[in-house]
Amino acid sequence: MAERVVEADGIELCTEPFGDPSDAPVLLVMGTGASMLWWEEGFCRMLAGGARFVIRYDHRDTGRSVTYEPGHPGYTGMDLVEDAVRVLDAYGLPAAHVVGVSAGGALAQLLALGHPARVLSLVLISTSAAVPGGDRELPPPTQEFLRFASDARVDRSDADSMIAYQVAYARVLSGGRRPFDEDAARRLARRDVGRARDVAALRNHDSLPEGEPPQAPLSSVGVPTLVIHGSADPLFPLAHGEALAERIPGARLLVLDGAGHGVERADWEVIVPAILALTTAGGAGRGKSREGSGRDRSVRDRSGWDRSVRDRSGWDRSVRDRSGMEKPRPPRAP
C-alpha cells in the first residue's frame, strides 16, 4: 500500500499501512527524532504476513508529517500521544495493538494510561517507565553512550552531516556485542534525511515540553503486555526493561541476548512471532515470566508458540555548544 497523509485538528500526519484492513490492527510508534522508516519495511511486511493490519507513521517534525519552525515546536510530548489517537481515528479503528520502541514505548504507555479503551495490548521495546514510581534505582546509560552524547557534533543544515551522525548514533545504540551493518544503516539514514520535509526540524524533539501526562500508575494497565529488551542496550540498560515489566501487571519480559537499543534485523525472527503471539485472540498469556533468546536457537514458552532464537519518557535532548553545532545529550533518568 502507498503512504497516506491523514489530517485531524489541522495536523497532517504521514502514515503507511501494510496488510488487510480486516485483520487485527497493529500500530507502530517510533521513538522521537526518527521517522517511520526506522520501522523497516521488511519488518512491517513480516508482521502483516501474520494476518495483521500494520500501520506505521511519521511523528510531527519527522518524515513527511507536519513540520514546525526549528527550535519552536509549538506542541508537547503529550500531543504526540494524541497523534496516535488521530491515526487510529483516521483509519476508523476503535482500538489497536500498540508497539512502541524507545521513546515510542513511553508514548505507548501514556496512550494506554490516557486512552485505555484504544489499546488492545502493548509491546514495549528498548524503553523505560514513562511515569514515576517503583522502588528500583535504575542505571544510567553506558559510558560509551555518554561519550558519544558529549562529543558528537551534527550540522542539521547539512544532509551529509546528518547522515553521518545518524550512522554513528546507530552504531553506538547497537551496543557493541554484535557486528554492525554500517552500509545498511547508511542507506536507511540517507533515505530518512532525503525524505524529510525539513530535516532541521528534527531538533524540535530535543526541546519538547512534557505536557500533562495521565496521573494513573503503570499498575493500572490492564491489557496484555510484552516488554522486549536487549541485554546490551546502552541507553536504557536491561534493568530498565526488568523494572518496567515488574510494574505492569502480568507483563512478560523477553530478553534479546546481545541486542542493543532498537529493533535490529537479526532479531526480527524473534520479535515478530512474539508480537503475533501476544496479539492473537486468546494467545496472550498473562502470567508473569522472564524469557531469554539467543540468535541461533529456539524456545517454546508456556503458551505453546515457537520463537527462533530518547527525560522521563525517553525524549532525546540536545544542547548547543559554542561552535553553533549541536551535541546530543542523553535523556534524563525516568
Side-chain angles (χ1 to χ4, degrees), residues 30-306:
M30 181 42 63
T32 53
S35 78
M36 67 181 178
L37 293 187
W38 295 87
W39 292 112
E40 295 193 57
E41 182 174 337
F43 178 82
C44 296
R45 294 196 180 281
M46 282 182 69
L47 274 177
R52 299 295 183 272
F53 180 53
V54 178
I55 303 169
R56 64 179 183 175
Y57 68 100
D58 292 326
H59 290 303
R60 305 185 200 198
D61 282 321
T62 74
R64 292 173 177 160
S65 286
V66 62
T67 61
Y68 299 77
E69 180 184 355
H72 302 279
Y75 59 94
T76 69
M78 285 307 301
D79 288 324
L80 296 183
V81 176
E82 297 303 316
D83 286 347
V85 177
R86 292 182 174 98
V87 172
L88 295 180
D89 288 344
Y91 280 85
L93 297 171
H97 302 282
V98 180
V99 182
V101 64
S102 191
L107 297 177
Q109 295 169 57
L110 296 172
L111 178 63
L113 294 173
H115 298 276
R118 309 304 298 268
V119 178
L120 299 174
S121 70
L122 280 174
V123 179
L124 307 173
I125 307 172
S126 302
T127 194
S128 191
V131 296
D135 53 9
R136 276 200 187 205
E137 183 174 346
L138 297 175
T142 65
Q143 288 301 309
E144 182 180 8
F145 181 90
L146 292 175
R147 281 194 297 271
F148 177 84
S150 173
D151 298 342
R153 299 291 184 272
V154 57
D155 180 355
R156 296 186 184 273
S157 67
D158 181 79
D160 289 339
S161 177
M162 282 291 298
I163 292 167
Y165 167 75
Q166 288 196 7
V167 173
Y169 192 33
R171 179 186 293 277
V172 172
L173 289 178
S174 71
R177 302 260 188 96
R178 299 175 177 176
F180 176 68
D181 191 340
E182 181 171 335
D183 290 340
R186 190 171 303 280
R187 287 192 298 269
L188 183 53
R190 186 176 293 114
R191 285 185 61 211
D192 192 30
V193 170
R195 178 176 169 273
R197 279 189 180 184
D198 182 1
V199 70
L202 282 175
R203 62 176 288 199
N204 286 335
H205 285 186
D206 299 337
S207 57
L208 287 182
E210 184 177 20
E212 298 183 9
Q215 298 303 305
L218 284 176
S219 60
S220 67
V221 172
V223 296
T225 301
L226 176 65
V227 177
I228 302 177
H229 216 96
S231 66
D233 190 325
L235 176 54
F236 293 126
L238 179 57
H240 288 258
E242 294 172 335
L244 179 59
E246 289 173 359
R247 292 179 58 187
I248 298 177
R252 289 207 311 273
L253 174 64
L254 174 61
V255 179
L256 302 174
D257 185 36
H261 185 86
V263 181
E264 301 178 14
R265 291 183 180 183
D267 297 311
W268 289 1
E269 294 292 339
V270 177
I271 294 173
V272 169
I275 294 174
L276 295 178
L278 187 77
T279 57
T280 297
R286 296 289 288 158
K288 185 177 290 289
S289 64
R290 171 180 171 132
E291 301 150 6
S293 72
R295 296 173 65 186
D296 300 315
R297 59 188 175 88
S298 59
V299 296
R300 182 178 294 273
D301 75 1
R302 295 176 183 175
S303 66
W305 49 273
D306 286 323

